Amino acid sequence: MTISEAESAIMECLWQGAPRTAEDILAEVAPRQGWQEGTVKSLLNRLLKKKAIKAERDGRRYLYTPLLSREKYVSQESKGLLDRLFGGRVAPLVAHFSEQRKLSKKDIAELRRLLEELDDEH
Amino acid sequence: MTISEAESAIMECLWQGAPRTAEDILAEVAPRQGWQEGTVKSLLNRLLKKKAIKAERDGRRYLYTPLLSREKYVSQESKGLLDRLFGGRVAPLVAHFSEQRKLSKKDIAELRRLLEELDDEH
DNA sequence: AAAAAAGGTTTACACACGTAAACAATATGG
DNA sequence: CCATATTGTTTACGTGTGTAAACCTTTTTT
């Protein structure tokens, strides 16, 4: 089952810190996204149905916790894109951004460091 | 307007070589995707409506040509993912794959070459 | 000429998504 | 106790998507 973009906004909030109450999530996410209360409620329910989060009762309310990890989600999404557009390989993706001049100084520095690390690991 | 995943299969075919007839596209794409004729026809029409392709009459049939370039499409998609998941920066994405041990020897070699090139450009 | 094939155009239908209101149950303040 | 607020559950509705059949014209075949 897939997490939609709207749903992922809720997930981001939960990944940032869980468990959280619906109230918290609402306060955090709704203004930024321009959503009404009902929207957040619906998304929480869809996420529950998809087993991407769980809810434990805490008195009269629920505490929501992610079941799907951000790592896993990011992996899925990234792999999907890579496979669809770059033959499943990372270098062509970086080359693409390089061609588009979308590599910042910082990116370049970090990539250098990364490659060095990979060296060290032997 | 966005190109859906199914639609992008048609686009890939056209990016590979255009213009093409519907027949060509059908022969190329349908078996691979397990699609019926009607499916391909529908997708062509949706792409026309979205102005992602154009059709010029050639006798009794049409020749289809992309209007949206692969470059542009790839850029949009990649930027979307990067923004949503990696704060819009490339290095964290590469780091992610690195952590997951998803960098092949070839990737690493290519990334090295790329970074050297960037050096040379000064 | 009637039938069939080829090719394009329209319509269909179920399901996901974005968005949200309506409703229900329960707790709380007056 | 009753009205109100809180919180969760159900229902809704327009649009996009995946998938495809139905239909209409124009050629080709028999």
Side-chain angles (χ1 to χ4, degrees):
Chain A
M1 215 118 310
T2 336
I3 304 303
S4 81
E5 188 150 348
E7 286 158 3
S8 82
I10 306 283
M11 294 303 289
E12 286 292 353
C13 173
L14 286 173
W15 283 324
Q16 213 172 281
R20 302 204 170 197
T21 64
E23 198 187 1
D24 274 5
I25 297 168
L26 183 65
E28 164 102 14
V29 172
R32 194 193 320 148
Q33 305 281 137
W35 285 341
Q36 296 309 114
E37 201 182 340
T39 305
V40 172
K41 289 176 176 181
S42 289
L43 291 173
L44 281 172
N45 271 313
R46 288 189 184 162
L47 286 168
L48 280 171
K49 204 158 286 169
K50 291 182 183 182
K51 312 254 196 225
I53 64 176
K54 70 174 175 179
E56 318 164 88
R57 186 135 243 148
D58 170 50
R60 55 192 278 59
R61 51 175 73 182
Y62 281 113
L63 295 177
Y64 297 93
T65 312
L67 290 179
L68 174 68
S69 74
R70 185 167 202 276
E71 266 312 295
K72 193 153 219 162
Y73 174 71
V74 167
S75 281
Q76 281 170 195
E77 294 289 301
S78 313
K79 182 168 186 323
L81 183 100
L82 226 64
D83 287 350
R84 278 192 301 117
L85 301 182
F86 298 99
R89 304 214 11 271
V90 175
L93 178 146
V94 177
H96 168 82
F97 280 106
S98 175
E99 277 155 30
Q100 309 289 122
R101 313 277 141 170
K102 286 294 163 50
L103 293 180
S104 63
K105 298 267 173 229
K106 207 169 159 197
D107 272 326
I108 296 173
E110 269 179 63
L111 288 173
R112 284 226 165 81
R113 212 175 33 67
L114 242 164
L115 286 179
E116 272 165 35
E117 263 173 35
L118 287 177
D119 252 355
D120 297 348
E121 285 174 23
H122 126 146
Chain B
M1 218 128 302
T2 336
I3 304 302
S4 81
E5 187 151 350
E7 287 159 2
S8 82
I10 305 283
M11 294 302 290
E12 286 291 353
C13 174
L14 286 173
W15 283 324
Q16 213 173 280
R20 301 204 171 196
T21 64
E23 199 188 1
D24 273 6
I25 298 168
L26 183 65
E28 164 102 14
V29 173
R32 194 193 318 149
Q33 305 282 137
W35 285 342
Q36 296 309 114
E37 200 183 339
T39 305
V40 172
K41 288 175 177 181
S42 290
L43 292 172
L44 282 171
N45 271 313
R46 287 188 186 163
L47 287 167
L48 281 170
K49 204 158 285 168
K50 291 181 182 182
K51 310 252 196 229
I53 64 177
K54 71 174 177 182
E56 317 163 88
R57 187 136 239 146
D58 169 50
R60 55 194 274 61
R61 49 175 72 182
Y62 281 114
L63 294 178
Y64 296 94
T65 312
L67 289 178
L68 174 68
S69 73
R70 185 167 202 276
E71 266 313 296
K72 193 153 219 160
Y73 174 70
V74 167
S75 281
Q76 282 169 196
E77 293 288 301
S78 313
K79 182 168 187 322
L81 182 101
L82 226 66
D83 287 351
R84 279 191 301 117
L85 302 183
F86 299 97
R89 306 220 4 276
V90 175
L93 178 146
V94 176
H96 168 81
F97 281 106
S98 175
E99 278 154 29
Q100 310 288 125
R101 311 279 142 170
K102 286 294 162 48
L103 292 181
S104 63
K105 297 268 172 228
K106 205 170 159 196
D107 273 326
I108 295 173
E110 271 180 59
L111 287 174
R112 282 224 169 81
R113 212 175 34 66
L114 242 163
L115 285 179
E116 271 166 36
E117 262 173 38
L118 286 176
D119 251 355
D120 296 349
E121 286 175 26
H122 133 131

